[in-house]
Amino acid sequence: MKQNYINGAWVDGVSASANINPSDTSDIIGYYAQADAQQAGLAIAAAAAAAPAWALSNIQLRADALDKIGSEILARKEELGTLLSREEGKTRPEGIGEAARAGAIFKFFAQECLRLRGDKLASVRPNLDVEISREPVGVVGIIAPWNFPIAIPAWKIAPALAYGNCVLFKPAELVPGSAWALADIISRAGLPPGVFNLVMGRGSVVGQAFLGDRRVNAISFTGSAATGAKVAQAAIARMAKVQIEMGGKNPLVVLNDADLAGAVNCAVQGSFYSTGQRCTASSRLIVETGIYPAFVAAVREKLAALNIGDALAAGTDIGPVVDASQLEQDLGYIQIGRDEGATLAFGGERLQRATDGYYLRPALFTDCSNDMRISREEIFGPVACVIPADNYEHALALANDSEFGLSSGICTSSLKHATHFKRAAQAGMVMVNVPTAGVDYHVPFGGSKGSSYGAREQGSYAAEFFTTVKTAYCGV
Ligand code: NAD
């Protein structure tokens, strides 16, 4: 059994959970420790005890540790990416790409340790200077989702450590393998005991333990909107700092003047790759009527050529859905779409392959309205709705008519519309002539409206969440 890592030691949990390959449910990847609330409490105590010294630790020591972690991840990206794709179901090239991204993130934050700046201002009062500096928040509870099993933990853990915080990391139940492998690498980076802790277990147990304990100064959460709302409320109830990244219903607008092949690539890549299980997936394709028939025909043609199969097999374009309950949710929404009167123009059926896995042919609904449930609710699978639009203004209004605001895209050759869209799209991230999914590792990541709450993740903007500001006066 793979153990939890608490206070610098590997420890058994109170039970163990099987990690199952969604491409082949007879393949058990391993058994992973599950903590109870008491064990989570031990990790919290260890992190709280380590926090004062770690907050004052030398930045070169932090930079070296993060750099070492990043180097090992990059050196082992094929092995880590293979494990990731085996437990989560994205294809092996996607898994390797995600592992490489995690390595790059640690390398980036190794350098950020050296770049944390303050300010010095003159006071309006005589003989005074004012100094503004950034300090660690303290102990940070990190609660991660299953769909990016190594990149999301990396983009939370790396800045937390870089800026001098102690970490409690709770991965999603479905993907303990990548989390454990990452913790194993971190455990050999020379951090003092208690600075980094891996606490695998249920959200309702371990996550709740973090939320309920005043020694946890901040919570960084990524997951569904429903859980995010609960996490935010619990954190705010005790005035903990909180950062919440949630779902999306991301639009990709395709105007009549778009390059057709480029728009089709953006749509197929953004909607269906990684099995559509990305918070930034383009689940609404808002298409101007002039290009609508050609666009739908070309997307269908491209979908028909995709290879849906075992995530680890060479030549697979789209792997399985992550588990039985997500597959049930996807199939449930496909039925809802039919019942709502949308046309299922392609796919949507469960597929049998050589091994028993959760295979689903990507589903394309046409003739959708933006009011349908399939156009409003996050499905989180390979399902996209095509919604007709009369013109640019209509398309923009439809794109913005959503509770969510994570990523918003447009395909057009009009500089005027592209420029206007960048300004008017209600989203944290805007993409012109590129898929809605896919953000570099050194720039801010996050949304507006119901997609995000709190400070941005990634890049130097991460300092906003993982530090707190101190204003200091000194009379001269
Ligand atoms: P989820 O909300 O089910 O779980 C997320 C995490 O919260 C897991 O670790 C889970 O164990 C934990 N959790 C569950 N209940 C909890 C509770 N009561 N208290 C504390 N923690 C609890 O989400 P998921 O299914 O793992 O991930 C998919 C969701 O994540 C999608 O909605 C997707 O859009 C979103 N997501 C958002 C982003 C982003 O950056 N905006 C990125 C990736 C995924």
Side-chain angles (χ1 to χ4, degrees):
M1 181 181 64
K2 301 287 192 197
Q3 295 168 304
N4 278 323
Y5 184 70
I6 295 173
N7 203 18
W10 293 100
V11 289
D12 284 338
V14 291
S15 59
S17 153
N19 187 4
I20 293 166
N21 177 351
S23 298
D24 174 3
T25 55
S26 69
D27 174 28
I28 295 176
I29 298 160
Y31 289 88
Y32 292 79
Q34 297 281 290
D36 62 1
Q38 197 197 356
Q39 192 169 53
L42 293 175
I44 295 169
W54 182 244
L56 299 173
S57 59
N58 185 291
I59 54 170
Q60 187 65 55
L61 188 150
R62 292 184 214 163
D64 290 346
L66 293 177
D67 193 66
K68 187 165 186 247
I69 297 164
S71 296
E72 184 169 343
I73 295 172
L74 288 173
R76 293 173 52 197
K77 67 180 183 186
E78 301 220 340
E79 171 207 340
L80 294 168
T82 303
L83 169 64
L84 193 166
S85 107
R86 187 173 163 209
E87 71 175 346
E88 196 267 351
K90 64 182 61 167
T91 64
R92 191 165 171 270
E94 288 172 329
I96 294 168
E98 185 182 330
R101 180 191 180 117
I105 288 168
F106 275 97
K107 292 270 191 189
F108 174 84
F109 281 105
Q111 295 302 306
E112 284 296 282
C113 294
L114 314 178
R115 292 194 198 108
L116 191 62
R117 288 191 172 83
D119 274 324
K120 190 167 182 185
L121 297 165
S123 170
V124 293
R125 289 174 277 160
N127 303 324
L128 274 180
D129 281 335
V130 197
E131 250 175 40
I132 297 146
S133 55
R134 287 191 175 270
E135 296 185 340
V137 180
V139 175
V140 182
I142 288 173
I143 303 176
W146 52 261
N147 68 325
F148 282 92
I150 196 164
I152 290 180
W155 84 49
K156 293 176 186 293
I157 295 167
L161 295 174
Y163 300 128
N165 301 282
C166 289
V167 168
L168 300 160
F169 169 37
K170 194 210 92 62
E173 289 88 325
L174 286 174
V175 289
S178 300
W180 191 91
L182 177 61
D184 176 49
I185 293 171
I186 296 174
S187 75
R188 285 182 275 101
L191 303 175
V195 168
F196 170 82
N197 304 274
L198 171 72
V199 194
M200 295 179 284
R202 297 182 66 81
S204 54
V205 177
V206 175
Q208 283 297 311
F210 294 175
L211 285 163
D213 197 310
R214 291 192 174 276
R215 292 171 295 180
V216 182
N217 306 100
I219 298 283
S220 179
F221 167 91
T222 299
S224 63
T227 313
K230 282 192 231 161
V231 168
Q233 279 168 14
I236 292 162
R238 65 171 179 84
M239 307 282 188
K241 195 168 185 183
V242 66
Q243 172 183 59
I244 306 277
E245 286 297 340
M246 295 165 287
K249 196 72 195 174
N250 310 290
L252 175 73
V253 169
V254 179
L255 296 184
N256 288 341
D257 62 14
D259 169 64
L260 181 63
V264 169
N265 271 335
C266 286
V268 172
Q269 218 285 341
S271 306
F272 302 110
Y273 275 68
S274 297
T275 324
Q277 297 174 151
R278 292 185 288 199
C279 53
T280 47
S282 331
S283 43
R284 290 185 298 145
L285 304 171
I286 300 171
V287 184
E288 207 176 352
T289 41
I291 199 172
Y292 190 102
F295 174 82
V296 169
V299 169
R300 287 178 59 176
E301 195 181 323
K302 206 154 181 102
L303 289 178
L306 291 180
N307 198 352
I308 291 88
D310 190 316
L312 294 177
T316 294
D317 296 303
I318 295 181
V321 170
V322 73
D323 73 348
S325 103
Q326 184 64 50
L327 179 65
E328 196 184 320
Q329 176 165 317
D330 297 348
L331 290 169
Y333 271 107
I334 289 164
Q335 188 55 46
I336 288 169
R338 286 181 152 135
D339 295 345
E340 285 180 310
T343 306
L344 185 58
F346 186 88
E349 72 274 15
R350 191 167 179 185
L351 297 172
Q352 299 305 321
R353 291 291 179 259
T355 51
D356 191 15
Y358 305 115
Y359 299 105
L360 177 63
R361 199 186 298 282
L364 184 74
F365 278 107
T366 54
D367 309 318
C368 300
S369 90
N370 202 45
D371 298 328
M372 291 174 174
R373 281 183 65 193
I374 54 167
S375 303
R376 303 206 74 82
E377 298 172 18
E378 186 186 50
I379 300 171
F380 217 55
V383 184
C385 308
V386 189
I387 304 168
D390 300 333
N391 50 40
Y392 168 70
E393 289 72 22
H394 184 209
L396 174 66
L398 289 169
N400 284 342
D401 179 15
S402 171
E403 277 173 41
F404 296 106
L406 193 56
S407 181
S408 193
I410 189 167
C411 291
T412 179
S413 53
S414 155
L415 180 63
K416 181 179 154 200
H417 288 141
T419 307
H420 187 266
F421 190 81
K422 279 195 281 177
R423 210 176 294 156
Q426 294 170 0
M429 298 172 288
V430 182
M431 309 290 182
V432 178
N433 294 327
V434 282
T436 55
V439 176
D440 290 350
Y441 65 83
H442 66 303
V443 300
F445 185 101
S448 61
K449 301 202 280 188
S451 290
S452 299
Y453 179 84
R456 285 282 182 270
E457 304 206 81
Q458 284 209 148
S460 45
Y461 287 74
E464 219 37 63
F465 181 74
F466 290 104
T467 65
T468 183
V469 169
K470 177 175 273 178
T471 307
Y473 284 89
C474 187
V476 289

